Amino acid sequence: MQDAGFIFTAYAVTFGAIATYAAYIIRRGRRATAELPDEVKPWT
Amino acid sequence: MSGAPTATTATPATRLLGIAAVVGLAGVVLFGLVLTPADQSQGESVRMLYLHAPTAWVAYLAFAVTALASALYLFPKQHALGWDRLAGASAEVGVLFMAITLFVGMLWGRLTWGVFWRWDARLTTTAFLFVTYIGYLAVRRLGGTPDQRARRSGVLALLAVLEIPLVHFSVKLWRGLHQDATVLRPDGDVELDGLMLFTLLLGIVAFTVVYAWLVIHRQRALTAEDLLDEAGLDVAIVERQQEALV
């Protein structure tokens, strides 16, 4: 594949950035919800 | 029976949404890198457009949702903070997708135009939109009560969303390097091969599902953080009152 370096970089950065952000919000959510009783969480 | 609180922002529905997002993204990789042909004029670099155009669409969608949720917080007599948290979550995810759009666009530009960046109308207005929403996120962190945060950032969101039509129509308003719309053309003539069009539409659907999953989780995390701040403030007030009585 021509220009493979550019193309694979684009895909790697896109999926890497989304995965990193997803991990970040999951971690923040877990930390915050661990300290709250389930009754106050609208989604439980 | 009540045990330890569940430390998660997930529900069965969001887990299904997450699975759909992963399957969709796997499809984008499969079609984008393997199954679609190279373009006659752009060659292999067209494979980047299966990321660039869908992420740009999601960024626009995210900023539109931010504006709508801000309006739903600001205009009714009863101000519901849930709308403000949705606005904040959507803006954050929108900034992520706009950053990806700019990065992938720069790589594509290097292959197609020979340069990473030009101060072309579309590129410049997109960069301005990106910086505006970084500013929006900074304004949300200025401090104060959740209602103060919601009011000031809500007004900013309603102003910032006006930039989206400017970005979208910049290729019509000014002559520049960036190509015109390929799918959403006023004459209805879609200039894409069937499999390439399918891959582009798959990308739009897959990244939209990813957006929904991220926003739901971020909004729930923001809710939990606000509730913790509120509880912390209540404890501090009681402590001060007890100190005053001593």
Side-chain angles (χ1 to χ4, degrees):
Chain A
M1 187 191 290
Q2 219 181 354
D3 305 317
F6 280 82
I7 294 163
F8 288 130
T9 301
Y11 276 76
V13 169
T14 299
F15 294 116
I18 291 171
T20 304
Y21 179 71
Y24 162 74
I25 60 168
I26 290 290
R27 202 170 55 243
R28 270 185 82 152
R30 281 185 181 161
R31 206 166 44 219
T33 52
E35 296 174 46
L36 289 169
D38 284 348
E39 301 82 63
V40 299
K41 300 169 195 163
W43 59 91
T44 54
Chain B
M1 195 175 84
S2 67
T6 49
T8 179
T9 48
T11 55
T14 60
R15 287 191 184 104
L16 277 179
L17 199 63
I19 292 167
V22 171
V23 170
L25 292 182
V28 172
V29 173
L30 179 68
F31 279 89
L33 290 179
V34 182
L35 299 179
T36 51
D39 186 64
Q40 280 183 340
S41 57
Q42 294 182 33
E44 302 285 356
S45 70
V46 73
R47 299 185 192 285
M48 292 188 210
L49 298 187
Y50 305 129
L51 304 175
H52 181 69
T55 52
W57 146 257
V58 170
Y60 286 175
L61 172 72
F63 298 149
V65 168
T66 296
L68 181 66
S70 299
L72 288 170
Y73 171 82
L74 287 172
F75 295 128
K77 281 184 183 172
Q78 292 290 323
H79 301 302
L81 277 171
W83 291 120
D84 168 65
R85 293 179 196 121
L86 174 62
S90 189
E92 203 173 283
V93 177
V95 165
L96 171 74
F97 277 89
M98 189 101 278
I100 293 171
T101 304
L102 286 167
F103 180 76
V104 175
M106 284 168 68
L107 293 181
W108 180 86
R110 177 69 182 80
L111 294 179
T112 310
W113 302 332
V115 287
F116 285 106
W117 188 263
R118 275 279 169 86
W119 292 104
D120 164 88
R122 171 60 71 84
L123 275 66
T124 306
T125 51
T126 304
F128 187 60
L129 185 69
F130 178 60
V131 171
T132 301
Y133 278 90
I134 288 178
Y136 169 88
L137 294 178
V139 164
R140 289 187 67 84
R141 289 168 185 248
L142 283 178
T145 66
D147 280 301
Q148 287 170 332
R149 175 194 70 197
R151 270 198 302 276
R152 63 174 177 247
S153 59
V155 172
L156 183 56
L158 293 181
L159 293 172
V161 77
L162 300 176
E163 285 178 42
I164 292 178
L166 185 72
V167 175
H168 187 72
F169 292 110
S170 59
V171 286
K172 292 267 179 221
L173 294 170
W174 296 284
R175 289 180 65 187
L177 275 174
H178 198 284
Q179 69 196 64
D180 218 336
T182 310
V183 178
L184 296 173
R185 293 166 63 90
D187 57 11
D189 184 20
V190 179
E191 293 182 339
L192 268 182
D193 164 72
L195 195 58
M196 294 163 100
L197 180 63
F198 171 78
T199 308
L200 189 62
L201 295 177
L202 176 68
I204 288 170
V205 172
F207 283 107
T208 305
V209 174
V210 171
Y211 159 79
W213 186 89
L214 289 171
V215 167
I216 290 168
H217 281 278
R218 187 71 187 101
Q219 200 253 5
R220 287 175 180 174
L222 280 171
T223 304
E225 286 166 359
D226 277 354
L227 288 170
L228 276 179
D229 285 347
E230 211 174 289
L233 193 63
D234 288 345
V235 169
I237 289 169
V238 170
E239 283 174 357
R240 294 294 170 277
Q241 284 171 339
Q242 284 171 345
E243 280 173 13
L245 290 173
V246 172

